[in-house]
Amino acid sequence: MMVRQRRFRPERPRSAPLPELLHVLMLPHLERADRIGEFWGYPESRAFAELLIDCEGNRTLLPVLVGMLREGGRGR
């Protein structure tokens, strides 16, 4: 009898919904920083926090991403 070994498949990280991303990106700077800290505090949302941190570090990315998320919401 041959035993099949199961391959380890890491779970896909759960991502925050796009409306939450848009909401956080549109917060005033200090409120956005607080929210990023909250997301960073939980391992399951740390990747989301890293995305938000990247947006903070790139002044061009933030308005472009907000515009894309707004446009994407209109097509639904």
Side-chain angles (χ1 to χ4, degrees):
M1 181 172 159
M2 199 166 139
V3 177
R4 293 180 73 184
Q5 289 185 354
R6 297 181 79 191
R7 281 196 228 163
F8 173 73
R9 292 185 185 171
E11 289 184 30
R12 279 182 53 185
R14 290 177 22 164
S15 60
L18 294 179
E20 177 71 9
L21 176 58
L22 180 59
H23 170 76
V24 173
L25 291 175
M26 294 180 64
L27 290 172
H29 179 72
L30 292 177
E31 289 180 45
R32 195 167 54 243
D34 286 343
R35 290 293 288 150
I36 292 169
E38 290 174 20
F39 287 118
W40 184 261
Y42 296 96
E44 61 272 5
S45 61
R46 194 157 286 160
F48 185 60
E50 289 178 7
L51 171 65
L52 294 168
I53 291 167
D54 289 344
C55 290
E56 289 295 310
N58 186 326
R59 293 286 181 204
T60 304
L61 178 60
L62 185 65
V64 169
L65 191 52
V66 167
M68 290 173 61
L69 291 169
R70 282 181 170 170
E71 286 296 316
R74 291 182 190 156
R76 293 181 183 176

